[in-house]
Amino acid sequence: PYPIPSPSSSWAYPYSWFWNPQSLPTPTIHRLLDGAVAGEHLSADLSAYHLSLRYRGRSLPHYDRDAPATNPGTTRVRIVCDLIPQWPIDITLVGTTITPARPDRAAVGVITVEDVLYAIHAILQKQITHEEWHRLTPAQEVDVARAYTRRYKAYPPVESELRRAGVKRVDFLGKRVFFRGLTWLAPEGGFERLRLVVDSRDDS
C-alpha cells in the first residue's frame, strides 16, 4: 500500500505523488548470471557429465552459489533458449522445496544462483524421445549426432554409459554448450522469464 500522510505531515508528499506514485525498481539479475555484462558471468559447461561452476578459473564459493539469482528474489522463473524453444526450463520454489529437485540444497527462501544452473543442466541432460528425433531434418540429425558423439567421447571413464544413454536435449545445442548468462524477457503466465545465452567458447 502507498503511504498515507498523517495530519501533522500532510505536506510531506506532493499532492500529485498520490496520483502518480513512484514506480517499483526494475528487477536485476545477479552479476554472475547476467548475460548483459560481458565477462562477469560464471562459467559452466552445460554438456558436462557433472556440473562444475567456476568464476575466473576458480570453483564458485558457497556464498555465491546460495546468493539470490534475482533482486528482488523470486520463487518462480521460466528460462527459455532460442536454440531449443520447445523445452522451457521452469523453476519453482515452495518453502524450501525446489523443482527440479536438488539434493542437499541450502534452506534459502528464494531461487539462488546455483538453483538456476542446476535446473538448466538437469533439464538439458534429459534424454530425448523418438518423436523429438523424428522431427529433425536430415541436416539437423547430422549436427545432433555429432554433438552426441562429441559429448560422450569427452568423458572416457563413463563413455560407454553416456553412449548407452543416447541423445539428450543438450545435444540440440551443437557446440554452443557454454553458459553465457541470462537476460530478461517479459513475464508470462505468472512466471518471471529469462533468456538463456550460450556460446561455443569456454572463456573461463
Side-chain angles (χ1 to χ4, degrees), residues 127-146:
Q127 190 177 34
I128 68 163
T129 65
H130 291 293
E131 291 76 14
E132 288 165 341
W133 174 261
H134 290 311
R135 292 190 197 114
L136 296 174
T137 66
Q140 289 172 330
E141 287 182 5
V142 171
D143 290 341
V144 172
R146 285 174 176 167

Side-chain angles (χ1 to χ4, degrees), residues 100-111:
R102 187 185 137 204
D104 304 320
R105 180 184 184 272
V108 181
V110 295
I111 293 171

